[in-house]
Amino acid sequence: MSSHDPSSQRNAGILTIVAVLLTAAVLRSPLTGVGTLITEIQADTALSHTLAGLLTTLPLVAFAVFALVAPGLSSRYGIERTLLYSTVLLGAGLIVRSLPSIQLLFAGTALIGVGIAVANVLIPAMIKQSFPLRIGLMTALYTSSMNLWSAIASGISLPLSRSGLGWRGSLAFWGLFAVATVLVWIPLTRRVPMQDLQTKGMKQPAAAGGVLTASISAQTDGSGLTPSPSPAIWRSPKAWTITLFMGFQSIMFYVGVSWLPEILHEKGMSMDSAGWMLSLMQILSMVGSFFMPFIATRAESQSSLAALSGAFFLFGFGGIWLASEAWSILFISLIGLGCGATFSLVILFFSLRTHSAKQASQLSAMAQSLGYLLAAVGPTLFGFIHDQSGGWSIPLATITAMSVITILLGFIAGKKGRISEL
């Protein structure tokens, strides 16, 4: 059947949606499950809090480094193929991480980070390319799927470990989702042969989405979908503000998934309950990430929404720091709402603050590279502060103060206007 046939385009559009949602499912779940298993991992490997923090920090470093590589790979191989390759690499990392070696634990974690880094950059650009009339809806579905499976991973990782799989088997479980994701991307890569990309100036083929599909040639100016960030992006104050907002909201999330279970455990909660509290955080994150794009796309400016979303961190982490364990559900819920709302706003800014899919991918690459480099400091730094101070009070005071910075950055990043194309 011809690729121009309406039925074929509709089927390809549905398959693209499934591929995006499945990819979202494996972009955070391999990382969030680590937080609830950290005590078992440390008991088995004798890792310090500082080294254990690297299990979250290493992927973030990979996010930072390989986010800038993703645009060039997409221009050369096509966005679908690049996403396929990144998912294969992610799956390989999941297998390596589960092997009985501390060195392979960290090596596999780094591979997982590389695979996730590429997909992090390209999925928002693909949404703008394939669903230009439904950016809010697709962003909501994408971020909600990511947060849903993050929540599930936090909740079931410890029970899976205790079911006989052990913590290594629990971490390897998410390889099943990586395989499913690869199987969905394969037919999408076959729509345009590799030689067509090479003989036509390596232009990115449009992912068919029925009436929602945009003409990629109009968006790329014939230079490929996602070239490296242009000088206009690097010189833009708006781009830098979005990048810093990305970094600070990521610190909130990754410090939370890395250390909140242990923090709650030290406050008197069982480790099982603490794991489910982390699930609750991410379920509420899913709520925030689903509804925020619909609200934000109806407003000319998102400043107030971004500042309010950042305020959830201030009250959430501040409450965990200063209040009793009995109020944990409330404060964890606030942190979850903040994580989901701020993340979906950042992803949305890649589209709302740019003129094309090409520029959106450039902003995405810059914000995710430098933003995650900033975020990478979080888990290891907070583990180090804990080791030096002997408790969690100083780390919690630090992240509460950083919440104020997140509010200010969100307010500025949310101001209307687009980055110059010059």
Side-chain angles (χ1 to χ4, degrees):
M1 183 177 292
S2 169
S3 61
H4 297 291
D5 181 78
S7 177
S8 176
Q9 290 186 333
R10 183 168 55 252
N11 291 339
I14 293 172
L15 194 61
T16 300
I17 293 172
V18 173
V20 167
L21 297 184
L22 274 176
T23 302
V26 292
L27 290 186
R28 294 296 179 271
S29 51
L31 306 181
T32 56
V34 173
T36 55
L37 296 171
I38 201 71
T39 300
E40 289 193 3
I41 294 172
Q42 287 181 289
D44 190 37
T45 61
L47 292 177
S48 67
H49 283 81
T50 304
L51 288 177
L54 282 175
L55 293 175
T56 302
T57 294
L58 269 179
L60 296 179
V61 173
F63 292 178
V65 173
F66 287 91
L68 292 176
V69 175
L73 292 174
S74 178
S75 290
R76 181 172 181 81
Y77 298 109
I79 192 167
E80 291 91 347
R81 251 184 206 87
T82 307
L83 285 166
L84 169 63
Y85 299 155
S86 69
T87 308
V88 170
L89 189 63
L90 195 163
L94 287 167
I95 294 172
V96 171
R97 183 176 68 170
S98 65
L99 297 176
S101 163
I102 293 179
Q103 290 79 12
L104 292 179
L105 171 65
F106 285 101
T109 298
L111 288 177
I112 290 168
V114 174
I116 293 175
V118 175
N120 275 342
V121 172
L122 298 184
I123 290 293
M126 190 167 188
I127 288 174
K128 187 174 180 72
Q129 168 198 308
S130 300
F131 308 98
L133 304 181
R134 296 291 184 273
I135 289 174
L137 173 61
M138 284 304 300
T139 300
L141 291 175
Y142 164 62
T143 55
S144 296
S145 177
M146 189 185 302
N147 288 316
L148 171 63
W149 289 103
S150 294
I152 293 172
S154 297
I156 71 172
S157 290
L158 196 57
L160 281 174
S161 176
R162 293 177 177 173
S163 70
L165 291 177
W167 64 265
R168 295 185 189 277
S170 180
L171 292 178
F173 171 78
W174 300 101
L176 297 174
F177 286 81
V179 171
T181 307
V182 167
L183 293 177
V184 175
W185 278 117
I186 288 174
L188 288 171
T189 65
R190 292 175 176 170
R191 292 182 57 80
V192 176
M194 187 65 191
Q195 60 267 27
D196 286 0
L197 289 174
Q198 295 170 337
T199 58
K200 295 179 181 179
M202 287 181 281
K203 292 180 181 179
Q204 169 61 33
V211 297
L212 300 180
T213 304
S215 169
I216 193 60
S217 60
Q219 294 177 333
T220 62
D221 300 323
S223 59
L225 175 61
T226 53
S228 298
S230 67
I233 295 289
W234 291 111
R235 291 196 300 262
S236 169
K238 187 175 290 295
W240 277 101
T241 304
I242 292 171
T243 296
L244 291 173
F245 184 50
M246 173 78 187
F248 273 82
Q249 67 86 26
S250 294
I251 288 175
M252 304 293 145
F253 175 77
Y254 285 104
V255 168
V257 298
S258 298
W259 297 122
L260 275 177
E262 184 167 333
I263 291 171
L264 295 174
H265 182 57
E266 286 196 8
K267 280 179 166 281
M269 189 177 291
S270 72
M271 204 63 196
D272 284 340
S273 296
W276 285 111
M277 290 294 282
L278 192 58
S279 285
L280 173 65
M281 182 189 98
Q282 292 170 95
I283 289 171
L284 269 295
S285 180
M286 181 181 66
V287 173
S289 65
F290 183 80
F291 287 105
M292 181 55 74
F294 293 106
I295 299 170
T297 51
R298 285 166 170 76
E300 282 192 18
S301 169
Q302 292 78 35
S303 288
S304 297
L305 292 171
L308 175 62
S309 299
F312 288 136
F313 293 131
L314 177 64
F315 294 108
F317 282 110
I320 295 292
W321 171 33
L322 299 173
S324 70
E325 182 262 339
W327 291 91
S328 294
I329 291 179
L330 171 61
F331 300 127
I332 288 291
S333 298
L334 290 174
I335 294 171
L337 287 171
C339 287
T342 54
F343 180 72
S344 63
L345 280 169
V346 169
I347 298 299
L348 202 60
F349 289 161
F350 297 159
S351 294
L352 296 182
R353 299 293 175 261
T354 58
H355 295 272
S356 66
K358 180 178 76 172
Q359 196 180 53
S361 65
Q362 292 176 343
L363 176 59
S364 177
M366 174 185 172
Q368 298 205 50
S369 176
L370 299 184
Y372 281 126
L373 185 62
L374 178 61
V377 175
T380 301
L381 174 62
F382 280 77
F384 176 77
I385 295 174
H386 172 276
D387 289 342
Q388 296 302 307
S389 65
W392 288 109
S393 291
I394 295 178
L396 285 170
T398 302
I399 199 166
T400 301
M402 293 175 72
S403 301
V404 177
I405 301 175
T406 307
I407 294 171
L408 295 175
L409 289 170
F411 183 82
I412 299 170
K415 292 183 178 180
K416 65 180 181 180
R418 297 185 181 185
I419 295 169
S420 171
E421 289 189 293
L422 299 177

